[in-house]
Amino acid sequence: LEVRLPPPHWIRIRGRVVAPDGSVPTNVQLSPWKTDGNGSPSETADPRTGAFDLGPYPVGEYRLNIQAAGYPPLAIPARKLEPNEVWELG
């Protein structure tokens, strides 16, 4: 008997955080959350460019919380991500 498991499917969340003037804020923290209540550890954006590439995470519906020093928190509304999808936030 040989059992072949299907390949795992993952998602990624990518983007860049910039201030209103185009500069990169300091200490950008990103917190992706599955809407079923499972959160992932906070991650940081690149301090030089503000870019981030989060994952891989399991397939599902995610929202993203962003915090940066000196700015109010920002909550990106949830989006369902399909297998091997990349959520490009710009």
Side-chain angles (χ1 to χ4, degrees):
L1 174 67
E2 182 176 292
V3 176
R4 292 182 185 243
L5 298 174
H9 295 287
W10 302 100
I11 64 95
R12 298 191 78 81
I13 303 171
R14 292 184 184 144
R16 184 169 178 247
V17 178
V18 294
D21 65 1
S23 65
V24 177
T26 58
N27 196 27
V28 177
Q29 299 292 314
L30 304 136
S31 301
W33 287 88
K34 273 185 92 173
T35 56
D36 67 6
N38 293 326
S40 297
S42 289
E43 299 194 38
T44 58
D46 183 300
R48 293 172 290 121
T49 66
F52 60 90
D53 183 0
L54 310 177
Y57 299 126
V59 172
E61 187 173 61
Y62 284 83
R63 68 180 188 269
L64 181 64
N65 296 324
I66 303 172
Q67 294 184 348
Y71 295 91
L74 177 64
I76 306 296
R79 177 176 165 185
K80 184 176 181 179
L81 299 166
E82 300 298 330
N84 302 315
E85 185 175 356
V86 176
W87 184 8
E88 290 284 353
L89 294 170

